[in-house]
Amino acid sequence: MRLSVATWNINSVRLRIDLVARFLREQAPDVLCLQETKCRDSEFPSAEFRKLGYEHLAISGQKGYHGVAIVSRLPFALTDKRDFCAMGDARHVCVQFHPVAHRPVNLHNFYVPAGGDEPDPTINPKFKHKLAFLDELAGWITVDKIAAADAILVGDLNIAPLEEDVWNHKALLKVVSHTPIEVEKLGAVFSAGPWVDALRRYVPKEEKLYTWWSYRAADWAKANKGRRLDHIWVSESLGPHLSGMQVLRESRGWTRPSDHVPVVAYFEL
DNA sequence: ATGGTGGTCCTACCA
């Protein structure tokens, strides 16, 4: 069977429900993982998703900030909602699928802390939190821990690890999202799998690849100062089942867009 | 080098 899994930092699911609906109608992924939903679970537009054929929902939200959700056409079981750093932030949700003729697949959806502006954990508590989150994640999410299942990890990880994941590597070395310390810590999470980077499986590391463009540009497309902050990783066991991926760059040009665009991975199970 | 825009929810805070 074919399985498609999308991830999108929507920056308010209520404000942009029409954009989400357009994406689901046009691309029709089996599963969509959202970050920065920015609403309580009771305020999540569940009815709209059900109308669009996405009847299975796992929602972990909070008032105003953060918030993650998984909406799906396929049934799943909710398996986890871990409170990393015990701060009460809604930044993770996990579900398990049972594809026909395939072993179970665990899907983790993450919204990693952005980390503020100052890349020094001794003076910036938000950056300290980001690094602590990554340390905790590296110790927790090993694929062999869940050896009975395949695993997919998606989300806004708020880090662009490779040189060609940013518009200017040298200029961004001291900019939060591309500093060596957080890239190293994300690398520890990646190695703990081990994981396969689904996007870079299809785009060589020598080529630019972005999933986010700042709102603070007069013309985002012309400046094209992007970063690859959104990721899809798959366990090595699932690697042979990957069949493609897509970054929906055009959605950055839609009316009142999110600053992130959807990323989709395709599997043949 | 700086400030640029956009979200939540009404006052700053966060991205």
Side-chain angles (χ1 to χ4, degrees):
Chain A
M1 70 174 274
R2 191 166 165 86
L3 173 73
S4 52
V5 176
T7 178
W8 195 6
N9 179 320
I10 193 61
N11 189 17
S12 176
V13 68
R14 288 179 296 173
L15 188 72
R16 286 186 238 288
I17 187 62
D18 292 345
L19 297 192
V20 178
R22 176 176 175 181
F23 170 69
L24 293 177
R25 284 197 203 95
E26 293 182 357
Q27 301 298 324
D30 296 307
V31 185
L32 171 61
C33 299
L34 294 165
Q35 303 88 36
E36 283 208 271
T37 51
K38 293 189 171 178
C39 63
R40 301 177 185 94
D41 293 357
S42 60
E43 300 164 329
F44 192 85
S46 303
E48 283 84 348
F49 283 103
R50 292 202 178 92
K51 263 185 258 172
L52 289 158
Y54 293 76
E55 297 179 8
H56 308 278
L57 312 173
I59 309 163
S60 180
Q62 64 185 90
K63 182 182 178 182
Y65 300 104
H66 322 313
V68 290
I70 300 175
V71 303
S72 173
R73 306 200 287 191
L74 309 172
F76 57 65
L78 175 68
T79 54
D80 218 339
K81 284 202 283 193
R82 186 177 169 91
D83 180 10
F84 286 85
C85 301
M87 296 178 67
D89 288 355
R91 295 182 179 275
H92 168 253
V93 64
C94 174
V95 302
Q96 186 172 68
F97 293 92
H98 291 264
V100 178
H102 194 88
R103 56 187 201 147
V105 176
N106 289 327
L107 172 62
H108 291 273
N109 179 16
F110 279 99
Y111 176 51
V112 171
D117 288 332
E118 180 58 57
D120 180 348
T122 65
I123 59 174
N124 175 8
K126 289 199 280 258
F127 193 62
K128 185 179 178 184
H129 174 214
K130 185 178 197 175
L131 299 183
F133 190 104
L134 293 167
D135 284 342
E136 184 175 339
L137 182 50
W140 183 74
I141 190 147
T142 57
V143 168
D144 54 293
K145 172 184 168 186
I146 42 178
D150 288 326
I152 305 172
L153 186 160
V154 311
D156 176 6
L157 305 185
N158 265 314
I159 296 171
L162 303 180
E163 292 192 12
E164 304 308 324
D165 289 341
V166 295
W167 64 278
N168 186 324
H169 167 62
K170 279 191 175 175
L172 288 173
L173 277 171
K174 290 180 178 175
V175 173
V176 171
S177 74
H178 194 61
T179 66
I181 178 78
E182 57 194 307
V183 168
E184 180 193 324
K185 287 187 182 292
L186 187 68
V189 179
F190 188 79
S191 303
W195 299 95
V196 172
D197 180 338
L199 280 64
R200 283 298 179 188
R201 169 99 173 250
Y202 296 100
V203 181
K205 65 181 193 307
E206 294 79 15
E207 279 180 37
K208 295 289 187 193
L209 186 60
Y210 311 141
T211 65
W212 172 91
W213 292 261
S214 172
Y215 286 123
R216 302 174 188 179
D219 186 334
W220 71 273
K222 189 178 173 190
N224 197 26
K225 295 183 173 179
R227 304 177 201 171
R228 184 171 73 111
L229 304 179
D230 304 276
H231 298 266
I232 299 180
W233 296 353
V234 309
S235 57
E236 287 193 333
S237 55
L238 260 183
H241 296 276
L242 258 178
S243 61
M245 79 89 189
Q246 182 187 18
V247 177
L248 206 74
R249 187 182 195 274
E250 66 185 59
S251 71
R252 184 62 179 78
W254 292 354
T255 304
R256 282 243 266 175
S258 169
D259 44 355
H260 296 253
V261 300
V263 180
V264 192
Y266 303 90
F267 300 88
E268 206 59 58
L269 299 180

